[in-house]
Amino acid sequence: MYVIGIDPGPITGIALLITQGPAVGSANAPTRLLGAEALQVTHGLVPYVLDSLLTVVVPQATVVAVERFVVGPRAARSAHGGSGEVTRELVGVIAHWAKRNQVTCRGWSAAEVKPWATDGRLDAAGLLEATKGMRHARDGARHALYCAVRDFGLADPLSRKAGAR
């Protein structure tokens, strides 16, 4: 399974998690995280990056976990006036890309994901180092990890099941 986490915006963070489900006959085994990659790009390159990822991922075994843009007081105070518009448009572009390529698309607000997907949890999953110096990619990794644990059987990195103490 591939989970592409995306933090949309003028600078977009993208994280790719590569997971492996339990082997046949071992239904109790958790899904494992095999690897992760991350990058940040300007918003105009997002469709091209996603198209490039199609050469690596299997669409039927891929999900895009994108941050839903919520209009609220914080968005209204943004230092960059057009950021909200770019972000909203990009969420639509990503949803359209997913539909066109038969990739499942899920979305959660930052308020739903960030309290759970803490730096400690990212570190336990090995994602903190992969996103070092890329705060938007780190937020994309938060969405990918949240989706992989919540919907696809990856063990919570802080749980005993995942080996945490």
Side-chain angles (χ1 to χ4, degrees):
M1 179 86 182
Y2 302 93
V3 182
I4 302 169
I6 303 177
D7 174 36
I11 302 297
T12 298
I14 301 173
L16 171 66
L17 303 187
I18 303 160
T19 66
Q20 180 182 38
V24 176
S26 59
N28 292 335
T31 299
R32 297 179 322 133
L33 181 61
L34 299 179
E37 299 295 337
L39 72 151
Q40 291 185 163
V41 296
T42 57
H43 67 279
L45 285 177
V46 171
Y48 303 108
V49 169
L50 292 175
D51 284 343
S52 295
L53 284 175
L54 283 179
T55 66
V56 177
V57 303
V58 178
Q60 296 77 13
T62 302
V63 64
V64 171
V66 64
E67 181 177 315
R68 259 192 357 242
F69 182 75
V70 177
V71 178
R74 187 165 189 268
R77 291 191 313 264
S78 173
H80 307 285
S83 295
E85 184 177 343
V86 166
T87 303
R88 283 189 303 278
E89 286 177 11
L90 191 52
V91 169
V93 165
I94 293 164
H96 176 74
W97 177 89
K99 186 175 183 177
R100 178 173 39 94
N101 291 291
Q102 300 174 353
V103 172
T104 301
C105 188
R106 307 259 168 97
W108 296 276
S109 69
E112 292 172 282
V113 173
K114 285 187 175 184
W116 180 85
T118 61
D119 283 354
R121 197 164 257 120
L122 291 178
D123 191 28
L127 300 174
L128 206 57
E129 187 62 31
T131 58
K132 190 174 187 174
M134 298 185 288
R135 69 182 180 102
H136 300 289
R138 185 163 290 167
D139 284 343
R142 291 181 205 285
H143 284 273
L145 184 62
Y146 182 82
C147 180
V149 170
R150 182 179 184 272
D151 293 343
F152 296 100
L154 184 67
D156 179 341
L158 296 180
S159 71
R160 277 189 227 166
K161 191 175 179 181
R165 296 180 186 220

